[in-house]
Amino acid sequence: QVQLVQSETVVRKPGASVKVSCKTSGYSFTGYYIHWVRQAPGQGLEWMAWFNPDSGRAFYAQGFHGRITMTGDTSITTAYMELSGLTSDDTATYFCARDSGTNSRLDPWGQGTLVTVSS
Amino acid sequence: DVQMTQSPSSLSASVGDRVTITCQASQDIITYLNWYQQKPGKAPKLLISAASNLESGVPPRFSGSGSGTFFTFTINGLQTEDSATYYCQRFDDLPRVTFGGGTKVEIK
């Protein structure tokens, strides 16, 4: 079945970068966009970006321009989200999700990766 | 950018009740709207797509309606396992995605 498995919880210091991975299986990796969504503790969902594994193209939400980079490795069907210049406001659980290709249905989702930014 | 206003932010209802959540877009989004359920510590789960299409395996007590700028999500016959936070999600052709602020549903 389709699965997205994310990397483990990480702690970073302010100003550092973090790279979260999203290992996919059960479908053609290059056939579907991957979206990244984050959720600060006790807060709602914030959409960050999508990544097209076939073309390598990405589109970022306005608030993340210049700090975020999406990449993918087709040989291991894994997508990556790298966020730089971390502040405490970036403390959140980061989710990847597959775009079904119709109506931007995000399904399924990864289990989430908690990124804590603390000195 | 299109803004999504979801209300209420929280509600409390009894088992068997009918619960309605609304989502209003700042401009016409046709039926480009999905609904998700999120339980604590878990990833969101897609329930309804394109405003009113029930996803496979989702109980029929969940439904959605609306088009243009106003959308509703309804649970007919609330169950204890429906305690969760629900989000609307707008999308466009690019796609750009925006989530509503969420509605926390609690069982009395």
Side-chain angles (χ1 to χ4, degrees):
Chain A
Q1 76 278 24
V2 177
Q3 277 193 308
L4 282 67
V5 178
Q6 298 183 223
S7 46
E8 296 298 315
T9 295
V10 295
V11 179
R12 291 288 183 269
K13 293 190 184 303
S17 297
V18 67
K19 191 170 186 176
V20 179
S21 67
C22 176
K23 166 67 178 171
T24 73
S25 61
Y27 73 98
S28 172
F29 178 63
T30 55
Y32 300 83
Y33 287 18
I34 294 287
H35 291 250
W36 290 86
V37 176
R38 76 177 183 179
Q39 186 170 40
Q43 301 301 307
L45 302 173
E46 179 182 20
W47 179 74
M48 301 175 69
W50 56 253
F51 173 71
N52 181 344
D54 186 39
S55 66
R57 185 186 169 210
F59 182 83
Y60 307 127
Q62 217 164 9
F64 296 98
H65 278 285
R67 284 210 301 143
I68 191 171
T69 304
M70 301 287 170
T71 55
D73 187 334
T74 56
S75 68
I76 54 172
T77 65
T78 299
Y80 301 94
M81 186 282 299
E82 185 168 18
L83 190 63
S84 61
L86 293 171
T87 72
S88 57
D89 289 342
D90 295 314
T91 293
T93 297
Y94 290 75
F95 295 99
C96 60
R98 189 187 76 160
D99 187 323
S100 69
T102 56
N103 298 323
S104 279
R105 293 157 56 243
L106 303 186
D107 179 58
W109 294 58
Q111 82 277 18
T113 296
L114 176 61
V115 176
T116 301
V117 182
S118 173
S119 54
Chain B
D1 206 17
V2 179
Q3 303 302 314
M4 304 302 297
T5 303
Q6 188 174 339
S7 62
S9 57
S10 66
L11 65 90
S12 181
S14 300
V15 171
D17 282 354
R18 180 179 185 179
V19 166
T20 299
I21 297 167
T22 65
C23 202
Q24 187 153 5
S26 60
Q27 62 191 66
D28 188 346
I29 59 169
I30 317 175
T31 57
Y32 290 359
L33 189 96
N34 303 325
W35 291 95
Y36 297 82
Q37 174 193 66
Q38 186 183 31
K39 296 187 177 181
K42 299 293 187 182
K45 175 188 174 184
L46 176 66
L47 298 181
I48 289 170
S49 64
S52 61
N53 296 333
L54 194 67
E55 290 294 305
S56 176
V58 175
R61 65 178 179 274
F62 296 100
S63 64
S65 65
S67 65
T69 63
F70 191 77
F71 301 85
T72 60
F73 172 83
T74 301
I75 308 173
N76 272 304
L78 188 68
Q79 301 297 305
T80 54
E81 61 265 31
D82 299 336
S83 178
T85 301
Y86 295 84
Y87 294 92
C88 61
Q89 172 224 342
R90 157 263 171 185
F91 59 93
D92 63 19
D93 292 335
L94 189 56
R96 277 173 292 236
V97 170
T98 309
F99 287 96
T103 298
K104 186 174 184 178
V105 174
E106 295 180 326
I107 310 297
K108 282 182 186 175

